[in-house]
């Protein structure tokens, strides 16, 4: 069994030794491991993060048994612990609206075997992408939002997500604000993407504003969705150079393309179990 | 004589033909030329920008004569016109405070012949860099700012800049706000650099805030200095990837390094006469 | 009508004026134009390249009439001339073998409207992608290569391409060497992609070799296919950083991803009529 | 005391536990640690690499004592061991010829405190940079190469390097081939920089060839110097996009600039003790 152990706790001497000793005693072989001590805030609170990728022998402990036994170490150091298997593709739902770029990109990366996710269903408030999903052999669920129906739509969405037993929800340009019914059900398991600009532009038509301001860069940010809109822990960011040759249409196209690659990278980091969260901050191991 | 003609005007048919015809009639040979029509704002006002790089024969018109004759074309199309020689390195002053990174970088690029500027003097409100400048053979002028002396310091600065006959002022992390005495004297001829973040951080210690927020990118923006602080036309921007491994010190170092390369690129674009300004926007030809 | 005129000829004074004058006389409005004079080889032969994007009035000349009239200018300067319409998506065939990454990427970019191509058919020597193509509504032609059947397969391919009236052939990791039957039919209209390494690795398993050598970059190059394998004019290149964390499998995945984006950019440059060829060299206007 | 322990050995279970246990027993606190298991060659030989950054208490063991005690662990796992202090800037010599770009860049990064090196001297076969070095307060040693004097020049160089007690030699575009007298004295402690192209160009004037071929990228590679020219373990590589607008002069300037940043990054990785070497391959921890 190939496993990844994600740990975080207040820093103190001996953590690495305790963890590595425990895995060695369970006859596990550490393939990769990375630790990081981060000093956060003015007080310089030291937080220890660790990601350990290891193989257990066939006749070794089950994941449940491993975690049970590890509990003693976890308590000693006041650890947050997450154990994940790398042998299983993450069961995933994708939420989209009308724009196809992020949805199509994720679906083809999944279908060509590039991205280790298991897309169980696509949910949309529009039915534009029903045919494309059907052709790719993925279930499409149309959950329209009517005036006054927002709450019932979200309740239905949560029911559908639970039935499909997904572990990850990807907002592939889903243009509705998610309420707490869904957000609270998947803490740090909903990934959102949005464009970013330097400087920031508020109000409508950000690409129009960026064009008229003559910015030389456009950006995209992927983050975990939290109750605070567009303000969850950042997983991945990137920018692309633009020039005066990029009119609003081409600027928008470049922005969309950037969104697809940043979102795909964030999803990859998540399903490769490389992301640890502490407060509003992530540590993304390479 | 190698020259660059920078033009901008409301778009209409026939501009390229008129300009190219004029240069051909003056026996000039166009080496490079680039045009761009930009539609700005919701109204879609069409603005024509052109950069023409051309050689005139030895017995051809002087720059003054050329401009005089070109005036008929310029009036017909309501053009803004700028004629610059590429045979002359731009006379430049660098303003700095305590941080050395941008200043040292520009001076060594100049000294190694990489950047076609003619650094006439360095002005600083501190004297930290006096020795370094002296060693590189560039005049260093110390203009300290005392409480209540801001205005007289600026008046003196303007006098010094005028005496040195500079055409370009580079703010290499000069940590004083420039007043109108200097700003108005060098319209679109003062280049400033500042760091940029996604999202933006207000208040003190932006690198500390960026670290604690776990951003994955830091940025830098070079722009022309105008009366509105940090809001002039953007010349160049770039970002660098950062990770959790970058503590506040390393984040700051990466940010400074990014500032040096973005500032150097902006200065290069300016002195190669590749920047045209329209309102708050630039067109930077490649 | 929106048109692009691509010109190249020996450099001499007056070319820009003649072209711009001609377009103005035809009541065309130049939207963008770019010129470049390149000095090639030790002799410094000066070659003039120009791309002019312009709109003609509804009651203006047809493309045929325009070219006919322009012939006088073209002869005077010994020009190579190409006139293309930007209103029509380029009729395209994609050739693929077993690897799906480039094929799927191009098809989804086309289907989501991001890439202005008109995919008429997909040809493959294997039938792995028949279903995917059918689902996306694009004709799939299976042309297997049996021992001794190479020539007849190529003759059939040429017949199929002619019937579909394609203007562009994209080799999306087509793992057969194309013979002259197809190469000669589409001069500078076949785009190929291959991986590139620093240093170069000859022999089998280049990714294995790159891994064992510890390279920090992998690359991809898109070029026009010519009779000389992998040596036609380069359209686009890029590299990606890799680390020791990338085992052969991940290195290969990163390489494939890079191939998709470099190939897509090259196809975009071609169908936006931004590529001019001179000998073994391209000029790709931005 | 802040220390870095660099380890490599054949992979087997228990290494991380043994190392971490040893450091914990010595009352050290691990600040960062990174492990990597690499499978090299067709046989898939598994090699374990580890970098551990840790603090020892003031009354803890000295480095000598630490290594002495660690020897038992090292023998058990057949480890290569290197212990370095991060409190001391690496004593460094820079070798240069006529081109100033890499030399000036390293000297200013050192002088502005950006790069944690201690430049003890600059050696050159020319005297062009004597003044610049003197102004920056660094010893300059002129060791010309006369016909037939190559061996004696190298012997003298080795004597000078030994006297200065340097730990690192940086070849900042030093255009002489180093013989074994110096190479063997500083195994994996001499860093060289050279340009790289896709495709590779042999013979004179690579930038001229790259221009005439229309390449879209130029590259630079920093590596440890070994007896085999330009073929030592690679530390850092990067590329820059170029276009038809870059004539041979500008291509060369871009290439030089790339060399400075790639060399500076490689030097930084080395002096931050992040580079481990195994055969012809490096592992560079982030």
């Amino acid at each position: 069994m190939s496993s990844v152990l994600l740990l975080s706790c207040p820093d103190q001497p001996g953590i690495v030794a305790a963890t590595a000793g425990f895995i060695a005693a369970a006859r596990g072989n550490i393939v990769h491991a990375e630790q990081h001590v981060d000093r956060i805030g003015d007080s310089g609170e030291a937080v220890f993060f660790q990601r350990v990728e290891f193989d257990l022998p066939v006749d070794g402990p089950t994941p449940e048994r491993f975690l049970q036994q590890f509990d003693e170490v976890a308590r000693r150091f006041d650890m947050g612990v997450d154990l994940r298997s790398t042998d299983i593709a993450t069961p995933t739902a994708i939420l989209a609206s009308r724009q196809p770029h992020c949805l199509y990109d994720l679906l083809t990366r999944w279908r060509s075997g590039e991205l280790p996710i298991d897309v169980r269903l696509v949910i949309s408030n529009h039915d534009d992408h029903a045919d494309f999903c059907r052709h790719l052999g993925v279930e499409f669920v149309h959950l329209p939002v009517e005036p006054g129906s927002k709450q019932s739509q979200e309740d239905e969405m949560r029911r559908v997500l639970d039935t499909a037993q997904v572990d990850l929800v990807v907002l592939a340009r889903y243009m509705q604000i998610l309420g707490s019914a869904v957000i609270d059900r998947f803490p740090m398991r909903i990934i959102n993407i949005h464009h970013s600009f330097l400087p920031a532009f508020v109000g409508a038509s950000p690409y129009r504003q960026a064009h008229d301001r003559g910015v030389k860069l456009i950006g995209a940010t992927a983050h975990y969705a939290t109750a605070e809109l567009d303000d969850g822990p950042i997983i991945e960011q990137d920018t692309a150079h633009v020039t005066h040759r990029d009119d609003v249409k081409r600027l928008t196209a470049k922005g969309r393309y950037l969104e697809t690659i940043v979102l795909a990278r964030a999803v990859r980091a998540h399903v490769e179990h490389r992301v640890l969260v502490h407060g509003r901050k992530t540590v993304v191991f390479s």
Side-chain angles (χ1 to χ4, degrees), chain A:
Chain A
M1 195 192 69
S2 287
S3 301
V4 170
L5 191 63
L6 299 175
L7 307 172
S8 59
C9 60
D11 188 35
Q12 59 170 284
I15 307 174
V16 176
T19 305
F22 181 88
I23 292 172
R27 291 177 297 137
N29 189 29
I30 294 177
V31 182
H32 292 297
E34 222 169 323
Q35 291 82 243
H36 175 64
V37 174
D38 211 287
R39 294 183 184 278
I40 298 167
D42 293 328
S43 60
E45 172 208 359
V47 183
F48 175 91
F49 297 92
Q50 188 175 35
R51 179 188 189 274
V52 191
E53 203 174 326
F54 61 102
D55 296 326
L56 285 177
V58 179
D59 62 344
T62 62
E64 292 71 26
R65 184 90 184 112
F66 182 95
L67 274 178
Q68 211 172 15
Q69 293 174 333
F70 190 72
D71 193 53
E72 185 274 321
V73 178
R75 280 168 190 273
R76 192 175 355 138
F77 293 100
D78 194 17
M79 283 175 176
V81 178
D82 213 342
L83 180 70
R84 301 182 189 175
S85 166
T86 60
D87 300 333
I88 301 162
T90 305
T92 301
I94 305 176
L95 272 59
S97 290
R98 287 220 139 107
Q99 294 179 37
H101 55 285
C102 286
L103 172 65
Y104 283 29
D105 181 75
L106 289 170
L107 289 176
T108 51
R109 283 176 198 265
W110 160 59
R111 271 301 184 216
S112 67
E114 193 212 314
L115 203 56
I117 52 175
D118 169 16
V119 181
R120 298 256 167 115
L121 78 167
V122 170
I123 300 175
S124 180
N125 53 328
H126 296 281
D127 62 359
D128 307 46
H129 307 306
D131 278 359
F132 188 82
C133 290
R134 198 169 312 126
H135 288 152
L136 287 183
V138 60
E139 188 186 357
F140 178 86
V141 179
H142 182 204
L143 295 179
V145 178
E146 311 292 343
S149 79
K150 193 76 197 301
Q151 188 57 51
S152 63
Q153 191 248 14
E154 284 224 355
D155 291 341
E156 175 65 10
M157 185 185 293
R158 176 164 169 166
R159 207 192 51 73
V160 168
L161 293 171
D162 282 344
T163 304
Q165 291 185 288
V166 304
D167 267 355
L168 174 66
V169 176
V170 182
L171 307 182
R173 301 300 286 155
Y174 182 67
M175 306 307 279
Q176 298 284 324
I177 293 168
L178 276 188
S180 56
V182 175
I183 294 277
D184 295 351
R185 180 71 185 80
F186 295 95
M188 302 305 142
R189 287 168 189 260
I190 305 175
I191 299 177
N192 188 31
I193 181 77
H194 63 77
H195 43 56
S196 315
F197 296 97
L198 286 167
F201 297 106
V202 291
S205 309
Y207 284 108
R208 158 58 64 193
Q209 290 187 66
H211 171 266
D212 290 355
R213 187 67 180 79
V215 301
K216 308 306 179 199
L217 286 179
I218 54 171
T221 297
H223 62 95
Y224 288 116
T226 57
E228 291 167 75
L229 191 67
D230 287 355
D231 200 38
I234 296 167
I235 307 169
E236 176 73 32
Q237 301 184 288
D238 212 345
T239 53
H241 286 272
V242 297
T243 77
H244 58 277
R245 293 298 308 270
D246 296 298
D247 56 19
V248 177
K249 190 181 157 192
R250 220 161 102 168
L251 213 59
T252 309
K254 282 196 174 178
R256 287 182 178 171
Y257 177 64
L258 193 64
E259 288 166 9
T260 65
I261 61 173
V262 170
L263 179 58
R265 278 195 223 139
V267 170
R268 173 180 296 280
H270 180 88
V271 300
E272 291 180 352
H273 316 305
R274 295 191 280 106
V275 188
L276 281 142
V277 180
H278 180 83
R280 292 173 69 211
K281 172 168 192 167
T282 62
V283 164
V284 181
F285 286 116
S286 63

